[in-house]
Amino acid sequence: MVVEDNVEALKQCDQAYEEEQMHYVPSELVGCPGNDSEILYHCYLIALQPDFSRGTMPHDILLATRARLEFDDETLTFELDVDRGNLKIRMKYVRHIKLTSEEVLLCQKFQVTLLRLLLDHNQNKLQEALSGLNQNSQRDVFDYLLIPSTGPHENPSIDWTCVSSVLFPQENISDKHMDCCSNRVQGRYVHTVNGLICSCTLQNSLVVTPHDGIMYCTTGILDDLNSNSLLKRKKKWHGITLRFVGEPFLSGQHLFTVQNYLLGCRNQKTKGSRNAPVDLPPELCEVIMSPISSASILSFSYAPSIMHRIESFLIAGNLKRMLVDHCTQNDIIPTIKVVEAITTKNCQENLNLTPLATLGDSFLKCAVSQQLFKRHQNHNIGLLTEDRKKIISNKALCKLGCHKKIPGFIRIDRFDPKTWIIPGDNSRTYTLEKEQLSPSRTIYDRKKRMIEMKTVADVIEALIGVFLCSTSEIAALAFMEWLGIEVDSIYVPYIRPLPANPGEVVDLRFFETLLNQYSFHDASLLVEALTHGSYKRPENPRCYKRLEFLGDAVLDYLITMHLHNEHPNLSSRLLTDLRSASVNNDCYARAAIKAGLHQHILLHDSQHLKPRILAIVKNFKQSSQDSTSGWESEPVIKILADIIESLAGAIYVDSGYDKEVVFQSIKPLLEPLVTPETLKLQPGRELKELCEKENFVKKEEDGKLEVNANGAIYVCGLTAANKKTAEKIASMRILEMLKKNYDAGESHIQPRLSCDIRQVR
């Protein structure tokens, strides 16, 4: 039944939709810092494990939060696609720690300083960012610490030496001595912009050359390279005359660039010149932080992407727990699947909601179609289709989703590290408002953002897909009912006038063999499935249209689920292409002809139906059975496809709504099913991709489709009954002409014929 508090949401589906929606952030990362002298933190080790072994290797990081984080397992694992390969992130809980207010302030200053410099590559915002660190906040803010780690993975601890590097500019430079240096060469004074400094403090530091504002990570002292060397015979460095002859140069590299490392293969790699070593004269360098290794700095350049992914897991975890509270009974839903369901394509990450939404969409259509078929046993296909549209339209799903606060969880934008908020950074102003998800669960709303109606509907469908993949159809139905969609699995008998002696008009043995030995309990369903709408008899008032309505939805879901299970690692685009190639009228019509079903549409009163069917069959047999060129505009193709769907609907009803029985009975008719290896793109899609690849100009105007292929113009009129079919026919014919008149070169199509206009009729 529809949950009562959702009825109003359904009624409001016709009202104007407000696209501005909330943007949730996890409460676990938010707090209101006070003035406690000692603060309890929950400490997590973020281990950075690269699959490469060249260049600077990153160190581990500690994440300290006020609240304990909730994850599926003790260890959270994911990957980043970084410049040199894959970087595996493994995060696990270590222990709780207590920090004094002074230690917390030092850690905050470290993370704000280092991350602000990494993001900006200048010091313009640094003082503003640090300005409020020692003031008590009167509002909720992002409140966690990112701290360099030292020690073994089993027992990591805070690297206080590295954290204290942020204090370097505040200390008396003249007090920097050489007590730590046993080697006299290492422990010599050198001139810097800061003054005289022991060279040992420069071996691992973050410096800037004030004359050009460029920042570097230093990695050592080059004792064999100084301004007296042959390499610096003119005593100049990039045109600047050096004053202190004989002082060793520093070995360094440019400060790392922070990127979005969640983009997968789309991530732009850093240019090699920025990774090349740089020789730096100390006298031109101003020390900002010391001692801090380049490995620690590199680790923190990954921190924004790491925290963005952790935040997405926490947001998804909050949504999952809200769903589990209402929709399941001890069902296990992987949080990563919920992350996938709330991540749109616009995020450009290596996961998105499309595969789950495709699956959820087909199940939603199937479940609602079955519910309407059972409830309205006297409705024709037109009324059933209209009722279904009202329930599963984007507008209806969006309203129900908004009523359940789903939009706040949706991830719609590509991550931009420049907009990431550093905890403790006061150069960014933002407001976090507490939102009550349930009596026991709170979350925070960061800001309002615009979300399209279709996006919310897609997420609803993807969440249905999550339940299907992770639990069961029953759990998916429970989720739909919680949303406010009235569905159930209760069996309702199909009551209608029965024809006399169905065995006299239908070859039951033929169909039993055809349908993988399925034997109808009620053969009158088979008669209904084969009765054309033109047949009007009091003793048999029903045609196949109602069963087609149900069978269409059932087959769509079964084939989509089959493809999802058989090819779980396919890209969302390829999975969508497989579904489109498997669930369409052409595919079903070919199956009907190959099985000889055209000979068994016995009940009809149309004098044109049989001749048209025979003409189509003749055309099909004379051409390749994989090609249906020339028949797309024939209405009879839809009738042949409808028979496959009505047979599926008849079996579904006769078997007591058993989907597995339907699939096993109909699958032999559809074989061989499309695979990634045998997939052929739809003509419109193939022509579009060809034009994009070869820079052909494709346009549609004045009832014609036109392609300009490097000066050769191909035109085809759009003359079919409907636009979709017309575009398909025109695309197919232009493709045929292109392939005929052009040879494929190594990198592009080479013209063979010089023609101004090629009119395809």
Side-chain angles (χ1 to χ4, degrees):
M1 294 178 62
V2 180
V3 181
E4 290 184 2
D5 63 355
N6 290 317
V7 174
E8 187 61 30
L10 283 168
K11 291 179 179 178
Q12 293 174 356
C13 287
D14 293 329
Q15 297 179 8
Y17 171 60
E18 296 292 337
E19 292 187 351
E20 191 176 76
Q21 298 291 336
M22 294 182 177
H23 183 190
Y24 293 152
V25 296
S27 58
E28 297 94 325
L29 301 181
V30 176
C32 184
N35 54 4
D36 298 335
S37 60
E38 194 172 59
I39 304 169
L40 178 69
Y41 281 96
H42 295 276
C43 197
Y44 294 82
L45 174 68
I46 301 177
L48 284 66
Q49 302 172 341
D51 68 352
F52 48 87
S53 57
R54 62 190 184 279
T56 305
M57 305 303 288
H59 288 172
D60 297 338
I61 299 174
L62 291 175
L63 169 64
T65 61
R66 299 286 192 101
R68 183 79 180 260
L69 308 182
E70 293 186 62
F71 295 116
D72 290 344
D73 302 311
E74 292 184 1
T75 302
L76 174 64
T77 304
F78 56 91
E79 289 188 353
L80 303 181
D81 183 59
V82 301
D83 298 336
R84 290 172 286 161
N86 286 331
L87 181 65
K88 178 176 282 189
I89 308 299
R90 294 177 60 86
M91 176 176 160
K92 68 174 184 179
Y93 182 74
V94 179
R95 60 183 177 274
H96 65 266
I97 58 175
K98 289 185 178 181
L99 299 178
T100 65
S101 57
E102 292 79 10
E103 290 172 331
V104 171
L105 184 62
L106 180 59
C107 291
Q108 289 176 333
K109 183 173 183 179
F110 172 85
Q111 74 179 8
V112 171
T113 300
L114 180 55
L115 290 168
R116 193 74 268 161
L117 294 175
L118 280 166
L119 288 169
D120 299 338
H121 278 227
N122 60 61
Q123 302 180 69
N124 296 344
K125 294 182 181 178
L126 189 55
Q127 290 306 312
E128 182 185 358
L130 296 170
S131 62
L133 281 182
N134 59 351
Q135 301 174 8
N136 292 328
S137 175
Q138 301 299 316
R139 58 188 176 90
D140 290 319
V141 295
F142 287 100
D143 184 23
Y144 58 88
L145 301 174
L146 291 167
I147 317 168
S149 173
T150 187
H153 285 179
E154 298 75 22
N155 187 32
S157 58
I158 297 175
D159 186 349
W160 286 111
T161 300
C162 184
V163 173
S164 300
S165 65
V166 76
L167 298 175
F168 180 86
Q170 297 179 3
E171 296 186 358
N172 190 338
I173 301 300
S174 62
D175 290 341
K176 294 289 180 183
H177 53 77
M178 296 181 291
D179 292 346
C180 59
C181 304
S182 58
N183 186 310
R184 183 68 181 175
V185 175
Q186 284 184 325
R188 61 182 297 178
Y189 282 113
V190 293
H191 290 83
T192 69
V193 174
N194 306 80
L196 279 173
I197 296 178
C198 177
S199 61
C200 69
T201 66
L202 294 175
Q203 293 188 54
N204 290 288
S205 59
L206 195 160
V207 304
V208 61
T209 48
H211 66 278
D212 56 14
I214 298 177
M215 295 184 175
Y216 303 90
C217 312
T218 65
T219 56
I221 307 294
L222 299 172
D223 291 305
D224 59 344
L225 183 61
N226 55 51
S227 56
N228 279 333
S229 70
L230 292 176
L231 293 176
K232 305 295 179 186
R233 186 189 300 270
K234 296 182 180 180
K235 302 181 181 179
K236 288 188 176 183
W237 187 81
H238 293 282
I240 300 175
T241 301
L242 301 178
R243 299 166 51 205
F244 300 102
V245 178
E247 289 192 350
F249 276 50
L250 307 176
S251 173
Q253 62 186 105
H254 286 88
L255 182 63
F256 302 102
T257 301
V258 177
Q259 301 181 54
N260 177 359
Y261 293 109
L262 302 169
L263 291 179
C265 62
R266 292 176 291 277
N267 193 27
Q268 295 183 352
K269 308 302 181 184
T270 302
K271 295 181 180 180
S273 60
R274 289 199 58 85
N275 291 326
V278 180
D279 304 327
L280 298 167
E283 65 183 85
L284 298 182
C285 297
E286 177 183 350
V287 181
I288 302 174
M289 299 176 69
S290 179
I292 182 170
S293 67
S294 60
S296 294
I297 298 174
L298 174 63
S299 298
F300 274 77
S301 71
Y302 302 138
S305 293
I306 292 172
M307 289 308 303
H308 188 71
R309 174 60 83 219
I310 291 172
E311 183 177 321
S312 70
F313 269 93
L314 292 172
I315 283 293
N318 277 278
L319 175 57
K320 182 186 78 170
R321 287 185 289 276
M322 185 176 79
L323 298 178
V324 170
D325 286 346
H326 294 91
C327 309
T328 64
Q329 295 179 347
N330 300 320
D331 288 319
I332 299 176
I333 302 175
T335 303
I336 184 61
K337 280 294 180 184
V338 183
V339 173
E340 185 178 339
I342 62 176
T343 302
T344 63
K345 276 188 175 181
N346 287 345
C347 296
Q348 300 181 18
E349 298 179 10
N350 57 6
L351 51 77
N352 66 69
L353 59 78
T354 303
L356 290 171
T358 301
L359 180 60
D361 168 68
S362 64
F363 180 77
L364 175 65
K365 176 183 174 184
C366 179
V368 171
S369 297
Q370 179 177 330
Q371 187 73 14
L372 293 173
F373 184 90
K374 293 187 302 182
R375 176 186 294 171
H376 304 297
Q377 299 199 10
N378 293 318
H379 280 194
N380 60 35
I381 189 172
L383 292 174
L384 292 173
T385 303
E386 187 64 27
D387 288 343
R388 183 174 66 190
K389 181 180 179 181
K390 291 178 182 178
I391 296 172
I392 68 174
S393 68
N394 289 338
K395 189 173 185 178
L397 294 178
C398 179
K399 282 295 180 182
L400 295 174
C402 291
H403 186 66
K404 294 297 186 181
K405 303 181 179 180
I406 299 295
F409 296 97
I410 301 176
R411 305 174 65 231
I412 59 172
D413 296 319
R414 169 175 163 167
F415 174 55
D416 181 4
K418 295 291 185 182
T419 64
W420 179 66
I421 296 176
I422 304 170
D425 182 352
N426 284 280
S427 65
R428 296 281 305 278
T429 58
Y430 60 93
T431 302
L432 298 177
E433 297 180 357
K434 186 175 292 187
E435 177 76 15
Q436 204 73 31
L437 288 179
S438 68
S440 60
R441 299 191 185 281
T442 60
I443 204 162
Y444 282 85
D445 178 26
R446 174 177 171 183
K447 63 178 180 180
K448 297 293 186 290
R449 73 264 175 83
M450 305 300 286
I451 302 182
E452 294 180 357
M453 183 186 298
K454 184 180 184 304
T455 299
V456 181
D458 287 345
V459 170
I460 295 298
E461 293 169 345
L463 289 171
I464 294 173
V466 170
F467 283 100
L468 292 170
C469 291
S470 307
T471 56
S472 64
E473 290 184 5
I474 293 176
L477 290 173
F479 168 64
M480 291 162 59
E481 185 177 357
W482 173 72
L483 280 174
I485 301 172
E486 186 176 351
V487 286
D488 61 54
S489 55
I490 300 173
Y491 175 77
V492 176
Y494 184 36
I495 302 172
R496 76 249 184 262
L498 300 178
N501 301 317
E504 295 181 1
V505 293
V506 176
D507 187 345
L508 297 178
R509 180 164 298 191
F510 167 80
F511 278 96
E512 184 173 333
T513 302
L514 183 70
L515 299 173
N516 201 16
Q517 302 305 312
Y518 181 77
S519 178
F520 275 88
H521 301 91
D522 180 2
S524 66
L525 284 165
L526 182 56
V527 175
E528 183 176 334
L530 299 172
T531 300
H532 187 254
S534 63
Y535 189 77
K536 305 296 184 182
R537 297 290 188 279
E539 69 274 10
N540 191 51
R542 291 261 173 102
C543 71
Y544 62 71
K545 285 294 185 178
R546 278 180 55 87
L547 291 174
E548 175 223 330
F549 167 82
L550 181 61
D552 164 56
V554 174
L555 274 184
D556 187 353
Y557 169 60
L558 289 173
I559 293 174
T560 303
M561 177 60 89
H562 169 77
L563 294 172
H564 194 278
N565 292 337
E566 288 293 309
H567 311 288
N569 298 319
L570 286 185
S571 67
S572 59
R573 186 173 187 178
L574 186 53
L575 187 62
T576 301
D577 289 341
L578 281 175
R579 183 199 187 199
S580 298
S582 303
V583 183
N584 60 71
N585 286 338
D586 290 355
C587 176
Y588 292 165
R590 286 197 303 268
I593 292 175
K594 286 190 289 185
L597 282 174
H598 57 282
Q599 302 174 26
H600 294 270
I601 307 179
L602 299 179
L603 303 179
H604 68 87
D605 283 335
S606 171
Q607 60 180 337
H608 303 295
L609 179 60
K610 193 167 185 178
R612 287 182 176 178
I613 290 178
L614 292 177
I616 286 294
V617 172
K618 182 179 179 180
N619 172 282
F620 178 74
K621 290 182 176 179
Q622 288 177 348
S623 62
S624 167
Q625 291 194 356
D626 289 329
S627 173
T628 55
S629 178
W631 74 341
E632 294 81 2
S633 60
E634 289 288 346
V636 75
I637 297 305
K638 174 73 167 61
I639 295 174
L640 290 169
D642 289 348
I643 295 302
I644 294 289
E645 294 170 340
S646 65
L647 280 175
I651 297 170
Y652 192 44
V653 176
D654 189 68
S655 64
Y657 302 104
D658 190 325
K659 297 183 182 69
E660 183 60 26
V661 170
V662 176
F663 189 64
Q664 294 305 322
S665 301
I666 298 294
K667 180 183 175 185
L669 299 180
L670 304 178
E671 289 179 331
L673 296 174
V674 180
T675 67
E677 294 73 29
T678 61
L679 174 66
K680 294 181 180 179
L681 294 180
Q682 292 292 327
R685 170 78 174 279
E686 185 179 357
L687 181 61
K688 179 177 180 290
E689 293 190 358
L690 177 63
C691 291
E692 289 175 350
K693 178 182 178 182
E694 304 297 337
N695 293 318
F696 295 165
V697 178
K698 173 177 170 284
K699 64 180 181 179
E700 181 182 320
E701 60 183 11
D702 299 329
K704 295 181 294 184
L705 181 65
E706 179 181 306
V707 172
N708 185 333
N710 299 329
I713 300 177
Y714 296 79
V715 182
C716 183
L718 301 169
T719 57
N722 62 74
K723 182 178 180 182
K724 186 176 181 181
T725 302
E727 290 175 347
K728 179 179 178 181
I729 296 172
S731 298
M732 182 183 296
R733 291 180 178 173
I734 289 178
L735 278 170
E736 289 173 351
M737 192 60 72
L738 280 168
K739 291 174 181 178
K740 178 181 177 181
N741 294 337
Y742 282 69
D743 289 331
E746 291 184 1
S747 60
H748 60 281
I749 291 181
Q750 300 287 347
R752 247 177 54 182
L753 297 179
S754 176
C755 57
D756 294 325
I757 297 180
R758 177 72 58 179
Q759 184 75 31
V760 185
R761 298 290 184 186

